[in-house]
């Protein structure tokens, strides 16, 4: 005795669908017999026309959008991106700081004037030496000037002159005690010294390494700031192009869903007409309505994705949305560049060689190694004791007037010179120097290991991105084959739907496959372009390949032009505090 299967809504639905398929097949055979092969070919042609009209209608939403090429968008980003401009200023600031360190060797002129007043009683010995004067009174004015400079060897050189106006009560006349105590003008004298002095460290703080250390460190910091600008520029270009292709994918999604909605609407219209003619079932209409509603919902999601991508695209330009058009429903831009490219991923060896010349991450870390090596040399110099060579040479002059004193000095008859060494040794074994030297060794080793780590990371990332780009390149070829097949299949199914030989659900299934394959192809194209960007980013050639790589001198010139332009624009900006809340687009820098 056979068992009876329990009632199931799924089995009932399957039986009902099989009944409808048989009914539709019988009607299709009748139509073929009635109209013949010529009529069927005409219906196939009309199906192709339906797809053409769908594609045309899908572009209507972007009819009012402005065309945006990748080249124009990158130009706007480079001109107005705030983070790039901020990095430009940072690079210029470090360049100025490095140039300022050369001021350590700039000669300095110094001048001073000092007045001395002194009055005291004399001892017996002092009274005897001063012609019996019981007290000593003097009023001196000392004028001093000179030019002092630091030389690259660490020595300090001074060339100067001193004029002393000496006035006191000392009378050179042996009988002055009979005349009484006086400080007459005839006792006034002028003393002069003209000469040069040199202080040259021989061990600690001497010679080129410690003296030029600050300038070299500032120059390396300037080089790092320049590479950080290139790094920021590369990342911004990478983000901008990636955002552009994201907008392309979002735009294509909207177009695909517009086509999908049109196909679903066509199927719904066909099902409704068949129901009215008594040749279709209400279930087909319900299925078509459900499919249409689902596609409209997904199309709205695609529009939201488009606006998100558009927001990221506009954000990189550094310009705020115009409040008059902000929130508008119509798309603002239409991507016109196609992501299809004939460029193939480069080989690993060629790209890796470029890393050592152009990758800013590697160049920054290499300069940090140079900085730590320089600090290590300075710390090694700090281990030495201080031994300074000191020398002075000049001529003395004395007279009753400044002119007489100067004339005597210029005769070079009364030279004065001194030479010697001065030694300073820490008694604790140079605790500070030894620990600083050990710390500098560790920092240099750390910087070297970081350089090796950066090199390894770049090499691994470069290899991975090249392989990823090749994989996406192969996927694009496969997706293109799938899309061509699904397009042809959908045209056939639409023609058969018109002829009554295809089910509405079959058409919707084929259209869904086409939609998925189109989205997969568009996504693969975008992923391939992003993979190529990552290869260029890792190898450091992203700027060179676009003809926008820059030298330090060109960056300096561009920074000065930007500052001049911004200063000119700032003169036109209102000064009311409320005016800073929003600046209209007309005040933004433009070319």
């Amino acid at each position: 005795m056979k068992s009876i299967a329990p009632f199931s809504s799924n089995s009932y639905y399957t039986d009902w669908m099989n009944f409808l398929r048989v009914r539709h097949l019988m009607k299709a055979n009748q139509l073929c017999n009635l109209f013949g092969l010529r009529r069927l070919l005409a219906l196939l042609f009309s199906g192709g026309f339906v797809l053409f009209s769908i594609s045309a209608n899908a572009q209507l939403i972007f009819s009012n959008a402005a065309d945006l090429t990748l080249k124009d968008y990158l130009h706007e980003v480079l001109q107005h991106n705030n983070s790039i401009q901020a990095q430009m200023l940072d690079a210029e600031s470090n360049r100025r700081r490095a140039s300022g360190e050369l001021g350590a060797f700039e000669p300095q002129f110094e001048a001073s004037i000092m007045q001395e007043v002194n009055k005291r009683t004399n001892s017996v010995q002092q009274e005897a030496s001063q012609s019996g004067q019981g007290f000593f009174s003097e009023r001196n004015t000392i004028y001093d000037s000179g030019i002092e400079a630091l030389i690259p060897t660490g020595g300090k050189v001074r060339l100067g002159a001193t004029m002393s106006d000496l006035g006191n009560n000392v009378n050179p006349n042996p009988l002055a005690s009979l005349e009484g105590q006086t400080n007459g003008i005839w006792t006034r004298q002028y003393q002069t010294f003209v000469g040069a002095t040199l202080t040259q460290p021989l061990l600690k703080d001497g010679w080129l390494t410690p003296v030029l250390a600050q300038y070299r460190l500032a120059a390396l910091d300037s080089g790092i700031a320049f590479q950080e600008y290139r790094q920021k520029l590369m990342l911004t270009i990478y983000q901008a192009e990636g955002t552009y292709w994201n907008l392309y994918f979002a735009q294509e999604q909207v177009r695909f869903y517009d086509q999908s909605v049109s196909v679903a609407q066509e199927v719904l219209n066909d099902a409704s007409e068949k129901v009215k003619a008594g040749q279709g079932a209400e279930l087909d209409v319900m299925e078509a309505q459900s499919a249409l509603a689902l596609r409209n919902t997904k199309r709205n999601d695609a529009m939201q994705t488009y606006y998100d991508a558009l927001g990221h695209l506009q954000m990189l330009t550094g310009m705020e949305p115009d409040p008059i058009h902000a929130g508008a429903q119509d798309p603002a831009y239409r991507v016109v560049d196609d992501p299809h490219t004939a460029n193939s991923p480069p080989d690993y060896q060629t790209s890796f060689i470029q890393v050592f010349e152009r990758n800013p991450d590697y160049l920054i870390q290499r300069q940090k190694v140079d900085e730590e090596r320089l600090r290590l040399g300075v710390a090694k110099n700090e281990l030495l004791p201080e031994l300074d060579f000191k020398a002075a040479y000049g001529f003395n002059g004395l007279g009753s007037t400044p002119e007489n004193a100067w004339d005597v000095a210029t005769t070079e008859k009364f030279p004065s010179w001194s030479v010697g060494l001065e030694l300073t040794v820490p008694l604790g074994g140079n605790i500070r120097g030894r620990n600083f030297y050990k710390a500098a060794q560790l920092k240099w080793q750390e910087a070297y290991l970081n350089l090796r780590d950066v090199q390894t990371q770049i090499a691994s990332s470069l290899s991975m991105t090249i392989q990823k780009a090749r994989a996406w390149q192969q996927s694009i070829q496969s997706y293109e084959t799938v899309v061509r097949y699904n397009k042809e299949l959908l045209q056939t199914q639409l023609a058969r739907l018109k002829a009554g030989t295809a089910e509405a659900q079959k058409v919707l299934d084929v259209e869904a496959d086409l939609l998925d394959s189109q989205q997969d192809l568009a996504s693969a194209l975008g992923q391939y372009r992003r993979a190529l960007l990552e290869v260029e980013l890792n190898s450091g050639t992203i700027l060179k390949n676009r003809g926008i790589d820059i030298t330090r001198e060109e960056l300096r010139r561009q920074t000065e032009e930007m500052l001049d332009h911004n200063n000119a624009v700032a003169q036109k900006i209102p000064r009311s505090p409320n005016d800073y809340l929003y600046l209209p687009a007309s005040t933004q820098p433009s070319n």
Side-chain angles (χ1 to χ4, degrees), residues 229-240:
Y229 168 76
R230 291 184 67 248
Q231 182 186 56
K232 186 64 178 181
L233 190 59
M234 286 182 179
L235 290 174
T236 303
I237 294 297
Y238 170 76
Q239 293 173 356

Side-chain angles (χ1 to χ4, degrees), residues 491-546:
Q491 290 179 0
T492 302
Q493 292 299 328
L494 285 172
R496 293 182 63 190
L497 180 65
K498 290 292 184 181
T501 60
E503 301 175 7
Q505 186 60 41
K506 180 62 176 178
V507 175
L508 294 174
D509 291 342
V510 173
E511 188 279 327
D513 292 338
L514 174 61
L515 176 63
D516 292 340
S517 61
Q518 286 177 324
Q519 292 188 88
D520 291 338
L521 175 59
S523 177
L525 288 170
Q527 293 290 346
Y528 179 60
R529 292 301 292 260
R530 278 189 286 270
L532 291 179
L533 281 172
E534 290 179 9
V535 173
E536 293 177 313
L537 186 65
N538 283 297
S539 62
T541 59
I542 190 171
L543 300 180
K544 176 187 175 183
N545 294 343
R546 286 152 185 78

Side-chain angles (χ1 to χ4, degrees), residues 1 7 39 65 83 111 124 157 166 248 252 285-286 299 368 398-399 413 450 452 456 493 495 525 532 545 575:
M1 197 174 167
F7 175 78
R39 179 61 173 170
S83 59
V124 175
V157 179
L166 305 178
Y248 164 82
E252 287 296 284
V285 176
M286 295 174 62
R299 191 232 178 238
K368 288 183 178 180
L398 184 66
K413 292 182 178 181
N450 288 334
R452 293 290 302 272
T456 302
Q493 292 299 328
L525 288 170
L532 291 179
N545 294 343
R575 297 302 178 184

Side-chain angles (χ1 to χ4, degrees), residues 70-143:
L70 179 59
K71 181 179 180 180
D72 292 340
Y73 175 60
L74 291 181
H75 177 75
E76 289 297 317
V77 170
L78 293 177
Q79 291 295 321
H80 304 302
N81 185 272
N82 294 324
S83 59
I84 292 180
Q85 294 184 1
Q87 201 67 47
M88 289 176 65
L89 297 179
D90 181 71
E92 178 65 12
S93 173
N94 281 273
R95 188 191 70 83
R96 293 280 186 176
R97 190 177 295 112
S99 300
E101 289 295 336
L102 290 176
F105 303 102
E106 181 180 5
Q108 304 287 331
F109 172 77
E110 57 179 19
S112 65
I113 179 172
M114 182 175 63
Q115 191 171 49
E116 297 178 350
V117 178
N118 185 27
K119 189 173 183 180
R120 58 177 171 78
T121 58
N122 289 330
S123 64
V124 175
Q125 182 180 3
Q126 292 173 337
E127 183 177 346
S129 65
Q130 295 181 9
S131 303
Q133 295 287 347
F135 66 92
F136 175 74
S137 176
E138 66 176 349
R139 186 184 297 269
N140 304 328
T141 303
I142 302 174
Y143 304 90

Side-chain angles (χ1 to χ4, degrees), residues 83-274:
S83 59
I84 292 180
Q85 294 184 1
Q87 201 67 47
M88 289 176 65
L89 297 179
D90 181 71
E92 178 65 12
S93 173
N94 281 273
R95 188 191 70 83
R96 293 280 186 176
R97 190 177 295 112
S99 300
E101 289 295 336
L102 290 176
F105 303 102
E106 181 180 5
Q108 304 287 331
F109 172 77
E110 57 179 19
S112 65
I113 179 172
M114 182 175 63
Q115 191 171 49
E116 297 178 350
V117 178
N118 185 27
K119 189 173 183 180
R120 58 177 171 78
T121 58
N122 289 330
S123 64
V124 175
Q125 182 180 3
Q126 292 173 337
E127 183 177 346
S129 65
Q130 295 181 9
S131 303
Q133 295 287 347
F135 66 92
F136 175 74
S137 176
E138 66 176 349
R139 186 184 297 269
N140 304 328
T141 303
I142 302 174
Y143 304 90
D144 181 73
S145 65
I147 298 176
E148 184 176 340
L150 175 69
I151 58 178
T153 59
K156 291 183 179 181
V157 179
R158 187 182 188 277
L159 177 63
T162 302
M163 175 70 71
S164 299
D165 180 3
L166 305 178
N168 53 61
N169 65 338
V170 177
N171 194 333
N173 189 352
L175 302 178
S177 59
L178 301 177
E179 300 177 0
Q181 298 181 3
T182 181
N183 189 20
I185 193 64
W186 53 273
T187 62
R188 195 167 190 176
Q189 292 180 316
Y190 292 88
Q191 189 178 36
T192 301
F193 176 81
V194 179
T197 61
L198 169 66
T199 302
Q200 173 61 55
L202 299 179
L203 296 177
K204 183 179 180 180
D205 298 331
W207 314 115
L208 298 179
T209 298
V211 176
L212 299 179
Q214 291 301 320
Y215 170 71
R216 290 174 176 173
L217 287 174
L220 288 172
D221 285 338
S222 177
I224 290 175
F226 173 69
Q227 293 301 330
E228 287 176 346
Y229 168 76
R230 291 184 67 248
Q231 182 186 56
K232 186 64 178 181
L233 190 59
M234 286 182 179
L235 290 174
T236 303
I237 294 297
Y238 170 76
Q239 293 173 356
E241 289 200 20
T243 302
Y244 184 87
W245 297 124
N246 286 341
L247 186 63
Y248 164 82
F249 175 70
Q251 178 179 300
E252 287 296 284
Q253 269 195 321
V254 174
R255 185 173 67 87
F256 296 152
Y257 278 114
D258 282 341
Q259 294 177 354
S260 180
V261 168
S262 299
V263 171
Q265 185 65 52
E266 186 71 19
V267 172
L268 177 59
N269 294 339
D270 182 80
S272 300
E273 291 176 0
K274 288 181 179 179

Side-chain angles (χ1 to χ4, degrees), residues 438-453:
K438 188 61 178 179
Q441 282 184 319
L442 296 175
K443 293 295 291 184
W444 178 75
Q445 294 175 4
E446 177 190 356
Y448 178 74
L449 292 177
N450 288 334
L451 177 63
R452 293 290 302 272
D453 183 58

